[in-house]
Amino acid sequence: MASNKPFPEAVKARRTYYALDSSSPIPDARIQEILTHTILHVPSAFNSQTSRTVLLLNEEHKKCWDMIAEVYKQQLPAEKFERANQRFQGFRKGYGTILFYEDTDRVREFQNKFKTYEDKFPGWSEQTNGMHQYVVWTALETEGLGANLQHYNPLIDVRLETEYKVPPTWNLKAQMVFGTPTDGPAIPDDKKEFDPVEDRVKVYGAK
């Protein structure tokens, strides 16, 4: 997986984009390559490899957000659903969605295998899933795609499991919507605020 952008610049460039259209500057095969590369090479505790993904493109992406809207329509009062549905329709305008899961069977397998760290594996599982999300998000950015991350689980879990034949032991963590940006990031560069670095980074023994 190649990119001409240095890693620190890619990290800085990764932003949240809500204004997306249903086009992609790269072929679907390249998007699949990014996911495959991420799944293979992002680390996990004890090499447990607990993360799973489902890639939805084009009409499957639109169908996903139609289903999510249907689920929420059954759960929310009409006035609240109308506001939520505006967001759903915005996500629907994108090119694709990536569903991020953790395999709870795999987590339990490693809990049983390494009893000393049994209580740690659920937390480590969350950490590796976050790393998968971040690597994919940053990689998509380097290819000219914008993305945003959503968390409409657990209400949508059963519907998506049924539609996409996802094992019930896969626990949905997030939904990443992506497409070609049609506007700037959610927070413009000149409006992004940073807490003082000296309050957040400590260094000892540097030469």
Side-chain angles (χ1 to χ4, degrees), residues 8-28:
E9 289 186 20
V11 169
K12 183 179 179 181
R14 185 222 53 82
R15 304 293 299 279
T16 294
Y17 290 90
Y18 292 114
L20 305 168
D21 71 16
S22 58
S23 66
S24 172
I26 57 175
D28 293 350

Side-chain angles (χ1 to χ4, degrees), residues 101-116:
Y101 289 88
E102 282 295 296
D103 187 342
T104 57
D105 266 359
R106 185 74 168 175
V107 174
R108 281 192 291 270
E109 176 186 334
F110 275 77
Q111 285 179 298
N112 292 330
K113 196 172 182 180
F114 299 98
K115 285 292 186 179
T116 303

